[in-house]
Amino acid sequence: MKIAVFISGSGSNLNSIIGAVKAGDINAEIALVVSNKKNAYGLNYARENDIETLVFKQKDFASREQADSWLLTQLIAHKIDIVVLAGYMRIITKELVEAFAGKMLNIHPSLLPKYTGLDTYQRALDAGDKYCGTTVHFVIEKLDAGAIIAQTKVTIEANDNIETLTEKVKQQELKLYPKVVALLCDKKIYLKDDKAFYLGEELAQPLAL
Ligand code: GRF
């Protein structure tokens, strides 16, 4: 299996996935790291580990569709099997999503379906929620709406703020995401009729890994 990881920022999830591949916990090779930001810190993790990088600017394309079409040709040229979105701050267009249906994962810092989109921690704090967390899901065209695979819940304490919550959830993400990537590489999870399956059974609730 060949994986492409898409990033836009700090790349801590990318780094964690690289570590899991090196440890033999993910049965795949990270063949490409894609970024839409040339200064994304996470590109350093790719370079340190001799992973090929592909950086592009939306400005160089007439539309989002054209950019994603070009990306798709690159993924095909690199024989990529699985796309892992890890802090990639762009909405993926229909052609690319459909080309990787059931083969594209995203991690989102909320207990989906609650709080799709941005500012998830602030929204959880403002709502007085008892819990927040992180979700790994299959990617469909609609933002943060694909079938949910796994979640980790974190308790919101009275003295928590955005910084403490971000840190607590991030620590969980770094453990959870590599495990889900490993399951997809081993074909233990899959998408069928917009639903997530694990070991042949439709998931009645998110996996807690
Ligand atoms: C993560 O919190 C993830 O849930 C969200 O973006 C963040 C990426 O962080 N989609 P990093 O770039 O992996 O450090």
Side-chain angles (χ1 to χ4, degrees), residues 42-109:
L43 287 167
N44 293 314
Y45 297 124
R47 293 184 189 119
E48 282 162 14
N49 288 280
D50 294 322
I51 300 169
E52 190 174 339
T53 58
L54 182 66
V55 178
F56 72 98
K57 281 203 299 280
Q58 179 57 53
K59 273 203 303 204
D60 293 339
F61 298 89
S63 64
R64 290 195 315 114
E65 285 72 16
Q66 276 191 19
D68 276 7
S69 255
W70 172 81
L71 263 181
L72 180 54
T73 62
Q74 299 295 313
L75 297 174
I76 292 168
H78 285 81
K79 299 190 167 32
I80 297 298
D81 301 296
I82 288 173
V83 171
V84 174
L85 307 182
Y88 183 62
M89 301 301 283
R90 264 172 72 90
I91 295 174
I92 313 262
T93 56
K94 187 180 168 78
E95 183 190 18
L96 187 49
V97 169
E98 287 183 352
F100 281 87
K103 304 287 173 205
M104 189 184 286
L105 298 177
N106 183 41
I107 190 160
H108 180 75

Side-chain angles (χ1 to χ4, degrees), residues 111-168:
L111 297 170
L112 290 173
K114 255 191 163 179
Y115 311 136
T116 61
L118 298 174
D119 302 324
T120 56
Y121 300 113
Q122 189 61 57
R123 287 153 73 196
L125 285 167
D126 290 349
D129 290 356
K130 287 202 171 67
Y131 303 101
C132 63
T134 185
T135 304
V136 180
H137 62 92
F138 285 110
V139 176
I140 59 171
E141 215 188 329
K142 194 167 170 215
L143 183 69
D144 302 327
I148 291 172
I149 302 162
Q151 278 184 338
T152 307
K153 228 182 193 183
V154 165
T155 307
I156 303 179
E157 311 287 351
N159 58 354
D160 269 324
N161 53 42
I162 292 200
E163 286 73 34
T164 59
L165 278 187
T166 305
E167 183 54 28
K168 279 202 259 186

Side-chain angles (χ1 to χ4, degrees), residues 9-14 86-87 106-109 121 134 170 173:
S10 60
S12 58
N13 281 284
L14 164 66
N106 183 41
I107 190 160
H108 180 75
Y121 300 113
T134 185
K170 181 58 77 65
E173 292 193 323

